[in-house]
Amino acid sequence: MSKIFGGRYEVLERIGAGGMAIVYKAKDQLLNRVVTIKVLREQFATDDDFIRRFRREAQAVASLSHPNIVSVYDVGKEGDTEYIVMEYVEGRNLKEIIREYAPLSTDQTINLARQITSAIQNAHEHHIIHRDIKPHNILVTADGHAKVTDFGIARAVSSATVTHTGDIIGSVHYLSPEQAKGLQSNEQSDIYSLGIILYELVTGRVPYDGETPISIALKHLQEQPTLPSKLNPRVDKEFERVIMRAIAKSSEQRYASAKELLEDLNHIQAGRPINHPEVFPVDDLEATMTHHGMGKVLAPVSVRDEEPKSDLKPTKKKKKRWPLITAIIVILLLLTGGGIALRNYLLVGTTKVPNVVGQTLPTAGTYLKSAGLALNPEVKKEFDDKVENGLIISQDPAADTVVKVGREIQVVVSKGPDTGTFPDVTTSPMSKADAVNMIQNDGFKGKITFATQSNPTIPKDYVIQQNPAPSATWPKSGPITLTISSGPDNGSSSGTINMPNVINKSSADAKTILQQNNLVPLVETQDSTTIPADFVISTSPNPGEAVQQGSQVTIVVSRGPGPLALNIKKDVSALVAQIISVMPRDDKDYVKH
């Protein structure tokens, strides 16, 4: 029996998982609609801080109403389990799209960027900072509609509620420099994270990567990113300026608001230039960091001095020394934490990845668990003609690869062959070319084999038979056979005859007569009040005209209503006229009007 939350939300299937919650697809039995339920993980059920954060997500997002933000419908508690009911979005997360399609064109990226920026602007206007903008938290529907989700660490900002926190939460690849330093996030932090996503969309890679989270965080603070156009020359220069400004390390150089970023995106889409200087951060610590083997670096954002300003002007030497000392202290603290993380990483044992290709997900999970590994919850699914539905097509890392214990293994699961309803290409004799076009337009891409067969009634190069049959469910890449007419064989009569007279005959009789004379009838229909329905009105060629056997002739068949309807209409008109003639004068005038 499936799990039901709140007496109305029936769980259908698990669709994802994050660090804080497990996500299910469910059906709202009361409103008869599909929803998403986010359930707090069991290990956090007794953690008051996590529960407060979890409830804050519902309260924050419930106050937002925007087409590019996933809506929150309900929040509840089932026993000891906290849950949130949200809008269900049929689509894929942006990270999956990046892995499969990046780099995207400038136009495609701007289209997504405008939607995401609009969502972030709406949240900021309601004093909500997302704090974890990354492609995993952006869903995209099949028609390209983007929706921002997972406000699990969103924080309402107001003078009454803001408190300092040193927590750095979220994916380190999209972390802003202020978050990497442990400083408080603000609206510009979301803009920076979005800028990293835009960089990844047009280049296919993030600007900062490394072996450990600490090394990546340091790069956010220190290194200058490669210009997107150097990785993808097709990137529009104006759009590149927008991206570089969005990911500027200095808050003074970065966009001040999502509204300002959206205005520039609208300018580019409309073909208008943007008016702000290009961002090329100055590297004040290059010599120091190079000396320590860290490569080319950038100066970190300076810390604001809150002490009263002195009238005495500091010396030039002192001005340069304090930012340098501050930066070195920050880096040493990070390196200390990085050293501990590196030591813990190196102390973890290794294991060999088992082969899970061809297995079901539960079986693969068992194999991986026995090897000290885990299955990545973000399972990718693809159509496959050779691998049965529900079985694993591929894995990453590959089988027999030696990896650290605890690593997650990414798998791709088969959805079986992609199928469709096969069209009928044998009605009203269809030419070979038209049949192929119809088949391909319906999405069938399998190899088409042509067989030929003589036929006295179907013209040459027209379809006689098909395999698969009309309306059959068939794999989109499955083989297709079409039998094509080669015309009448050598023994068939193929001379010139006079067109038989089939006018006023039923369509069935007319077809039989024409086919007996080795002619191919094509049927057209027409309204008629003189010829009964399903009887022939006219032919082309006309009766008695010369026609080549084996060729097509046209018969025009009546759709009705026929002469009976005409007579009834005349009788009714006469009856009405008769009634009016015997009516008093006033009533006649009333009827006429």
Side-chain angles (χ1 to χ4, degrees):
M1 185 175 178
S2 59
K3 174 73 175 175
I4 295 180
F5 288 92
R8 62 185 283 191
Y9 304 112
E10 180 186 5
V11 172
L12 301 177
E13 61 177 305
R14 173 171 163 165
I15 57 175
M20 194 173 66
I22 301 172
V23 186
Y24 297 96
K25 179 180 178 181
K27 182 179 181 181
D28 182 346
Q29 297 176 329
L30 183 62
L31 298 179
N32 192 29
R33 66 180 175 185
V34 177
V35 297
T36 297
I37 297 184
K38 185 178 293 185
V39 179
L40 186 65
R41 287 185 179 273
E42 291 181 5
Q43 59 263 43
F44 302 128
T46 57
D47 190 323
D48 292 339
D49 181 57
F50 268 87
I51 290 174
R52 281 194 297 271
R53 184 180 298 161
F54 194 73
R55 289 174 179 169
R56 188 184 302 121
E57 173 182 357
Q59 295 166 355
V61 186
S63 68
L64 303 177
S65 178
H66 191 274
N68 299 114
I69 296 177
V70 174
S71 301
V72 167
Y73 297 144
D74 194 8
V75 61
K77 184 174 183 180
E78 187 78 19
D80 293 330
T81 304
E82 301 274 346
Y83 66 88
I84 295 176
V85 182
M86 310 175 77
E87 172 188 3
Y88 177 74
V89 179
E90 185 71 53
R92 308 167 67 186
N93 71 50
L94 190 54
K95 190 64 177 181
E96 293 173 326
I97 292 172
I98 289 171
R99 286 171 182 154
E100 187 167 348
Y101 298 107
L104 273 62
S105 68
T106 296
D107 288 342
Q108 290 172 319
T109 304
I110 289 177
N111 179 45
L112 290 170
R114 291 175 67 249
Q115 296 182 64
I116 300 165
T117 306
S118 179
I120 293 173
Q121 178 188 355
N122 180 265
H124 289 178
E125 288 173 350
H126 287 79
H127 309 297
I128 295 171
I129 301 172
H130 192 291
R131 288 171 48 90
D132 195 20
I133 293 292
K134 57 185 178 182
H136 312 71
N137 288 339
I138 299 166
L139 303 177
V140 183
T141 63
D143 60 357
H145 188 71
K147 280 182 172 282
V148 182
T149 187
D150 197 5
F151 282 75
I153 50 174
R155 189 176 294 257
V157 286
S158 68
S159 58
T161 60
V162 168
T163 56
H164 177 76
T165 177
D167 295 336
I168 298 178
I169 307 172
S171 175
V172 71
H173 288 98
Y174 308 93
L175 207 65
S176 67
E178 50 270 25
Q179 287 173 298
K181 286 182 177 183
L183 301 177
Q184 183 174 308
S185 300
N186 55 32
E187 286 89 346
Q188 288 182 295
S189 304
D190 283 351
I191 293 171
Y192 181 92
S193 300
L194 175 55
I196 299 292
I197 294 174
L198 302 186
Y199 186 104
E200 188 178 12
L201 283 169
V202 296
T203 65
R205 51 181 271 192
V206 290
Y208 309 114
D209 205 356
E211 293 295 325
T212 66
I214 292 296
S215 65
I216 298 171
L218 282 172
K219 289 180 180 181
H220 281 289
L221 290 168
Q222 304 160 5
E223 290 194 4
Q224 180 174 343
T226 303
L227 288 172
S229 57
K230 290 186 177 180
L231 301 175
N232 179 8
R234 294 177 298 172
V235 176
D236 179 84
K237 289 294 183 182
E238 289 284 280
F239 188 44
E240 180 177 68
R241 291 171 62 192
V242 169
I243 295 173
M244 296 304 291
R245 186 177 180 191
I247 62 173
K249 300 185 190 307
S250 166
S251 59
E252 286 79 12
Q253 290 181 309
R254 202 183 308 163
Y255 282 102
S257 66
K259 180 181 179 182
E260 187 179 359
L261 170 58
L262 186 58
E263 287 174 353
D264 274 0
L265 292 172
N266 290 336
H267 276 298
I268 294 176
Q269 190 176 58
R272 298 192 298 269
I274 53 177
N275 299 312
H276 59 70
E278 294 189 48
V279 175
F280 293 106
V282 179
D283 186 1
D284 286 339
L285 290 180
E286 180 176 353
T288 304
M289 295 301 111
T290 302
H291 176 72
H292 288 283
M294 298 180 186
K296 193 172 183 181
V297 297
L298 294 176
V301 181
S302 60
V303 178
R304 183 179 294 175
D305 187 358
E306 299 295 345
E307 294 182 4
K309 294 182 180 178
S310 170
D311 292 334
L312 298 174
K313 293 184 179 179
T315 64
K316 213 172 199 179
K317 187 175 181 182
K318 207 166 188 177
K319 275 186 179 179
K320 289 185 178 179
R321 180 179 296 174
W322 277 111
L324 182 61
I325 293 172
T326 302
I328 291 172
I329 291 172
V330 169
I331 292 166
L332 287 175
L333 289 172
L334 288 170
L335 286 175
T336 302
I340 295 170
L342 180 62
R343 184 188 66 184
N344 292 337
Y345 175 78
L346 293 174
L347 290 176
V348 173
T350 59
T351 185
K352 188 178 286 188
V353 179
N355 185 7
V356 295
V357 173
Q359 306 297 328
T360 62
L361 284 175
T363 303
T366 301
Y367 285 3
L368 294 173
K369 187 176 181 180
S370 64
L373 302 170
L375 194 63
N376 190 315
E378 294 182 8
V379 176
K380 186 177 180 181
K381 295 186 177 182
E382 295 179 354
F383 289 111
D384 194 287
D385 294 333
K386 297 179 180 179
V387 181
E388 184 183 338
N389 181 31
L391 300 184
I392 294 173
I393 302 170
S394 62
Q395 65 182 79
D396 184 28
D400 297 328
T401 304
V402 177
V403 298
K404 292 289 183 181
V405 171
R407 178 164 177 174
E408 289 187 341
I409 307 302
Q410 179 73 53
V411 298
V412 178
V413 175
S414 172
K415 294 195 289 186
D418 188 8
T419 61
T421 302
F422 202 82
D424 185 355
V425 295
T426 58
T427 55
S428 298
M430 186 178 293
S431 70
K432 174 182 174 180
D434 288 344
V436 170
N437 285 336
M438 177 180 283
I439 290 168
Q440 292 178 344
N441 288 340
D442 280 6
F444 292 91
K445 303 174 182 177
K447 181 180 178 181
I448 301 177
T449 302
F450 300 100
T452 57
Q453 179 180 313
S454 62
N455 191 289
T457 60
I458 298 187
K460 185 179 179 180
D461 292 330
Y462 278 68
V463 179
I464 302 173
Q465 295 176 341
Q466 64 179 75
N467 184 23
S471 301
T473 299
W474 195 252
K476 290 290 183 72
S477 57
I480 300 162
T481 301
L482 298 180
T483 302
I484 308 300
S485 173
S486 59
D489 59 26
N490 294 332
S492 299
S493 173
S494 58
T496 301
I497 63 172
N498 293 328
M499 176 69 179
N501 186 0
V502 293
I503 294 173
N504 290 325
K505 295 186 180 294
S506 70
S507 61
D509 290 344
K511 288 179 185 177
T512 299
I513 294 169
L514 294 172
Q515 288 172 351
Q516 288 173 347
N517 284 273
N518 196 17
L519 297 172
V520 181
L522 296 180
V523 178
E524 294 180 1
T525 60
Q526 180 179 306
D527 292 337
S528 175
T529 58
T530 59
I531 303 296
D534 202 36
F535 278 73
V536 177
I537 301 172
S538 63
T539 63
S540 179
N542 294 318
E545 291 182 353
V547 60
Q548 184 73 29
Q549 287 183 299
S551 63
Q552 293 177 338
V553 295
T554 301
I555 60 174
V556 180
V557 176
S558 170
R559 287 196 297 260
L564 179 62
L566 178 63
N567 292 337
I568 291 172
K569 184 177 180 182
K570 289 179 178 177
D571 292 343
V572 171
S573 298
L575 180 61
V576 170
Q578 185 177 357
I579 292 170
I580 292 175
S581 68
V582 298
M583 290 174 66
R585 179 185 180 89
D586 292 342
D587 290 340
K588 288 180 184 179
D589 294 339
Y590 176 76
V591 171
K592 288 177 182 179
H593 284 88

